Amino acid sequence: MHDRDSLHRFIFEHYPIRGHLVHLDASWRALIEHRDYSGVIREVLGEAVVASLLLAATIKFEGVLSLQLQGTGAVQLLLAQCTSGLGVRGLARYREDLKAGATTGGLHELIGAGNLTVTLESDDGSRYQGIVPITGARLADSLQIYFENSEQLPTRLWLYADEHGAAGMLLQRLPGAPGTAVADPAAIDDAWRRVQLIGATLTPEELRSLADAEIVHRLFNEDDVRIFEPAPVYFRCRCSRDRVSGMLQGLGESETRSILAERGEVEVRCDFCNRAYVFDAVDVSQLFNKGVASDASSSVH
């Protein structure tokens, strides 16, 4: 469909309320194609990737937004990242017995006791981080607590993911009412309650299968809603040979040469895209003897 791998923004003309819809297709399959995730892990990771996109689209910044779930359960770490240009990547680290697992429990059972962390790292070096406990059966439940506790704008999210694609919708109430047709705070409160209730009628199947314009019409056909042109979403891993070189330099010459002596080469595999970077004896010598420029802040996670 034409609106797959894209994000649509829409606004309510008469109320200070906005929304975002995102559908991932090829970009989602590219993100997981080298990973043998079980169904339950794919579902939560896909929802996290979609959530990172929806959150990033609400912020004016240049940089990277990271959404991280970390706990004591079978999935020790789940990380989704979205750049300001809507490039996404993600990964999950989990116990081996979950590879073909049949876990059907909720998010709290999967992650265990832990936290949801949203981090915004701007290109100018500034950094913001919000942390809340993992709560509820779905990722959207924990994100709801995040918005309530972090003094963000009132926000609701609906998320869906499977092996074929991932999708989500965000509704957000904006401050004040400048430029809207309705300035009465009570009327705006009523409208916000109403659109949330209507949004909650959207089924997972509709979110997965309907085009964005169909979803907006199905939910809000009685409102004056304007949909903007879609913004493309794509899978983007930021790993590179230069970043790996910097990481090896940070590891140190002694440790790197020890690995080289043991294995005959040094191989570093990116956890996000599974790309392998191989350094032979000549590469290692150049790395440490010729001062290859390092990126001290780079790492391959």
Side-chain angles (χ1 to χ4, degrees), residues 44-59:
V44 179
L45 179 60
E47 290 186 358
V49 170
V50 167
S52 73
L53 269 162
L54 293 170
L55 268 61
T58 68
I59 305 168

Side-chain angles (χ1 to χ4, degrees), residues 1-16:
M1 298 176 68
H2 70 281
D3 59 0
R4 269 29 185 177
D5 296 304
S6 66
L7 181 140
H8 266 108
R9 295 172 171 86
F10 60 93
I11 61 171
F12 290 74
E13 298 283 15
H14 300 297
Y15 303 103

Side-chain angles (χ1 to χ4, degrees), residues 10-25:
F10 60 93
I11 61 171
F12 290 74
E13 298 283 15
H14 300 297
Y15 303 103
I17 299 172
R18 67 179 173 183
H20 296 147
L21 276 162
V22 64
H23 282 94
L24 305 184
D25 189 351

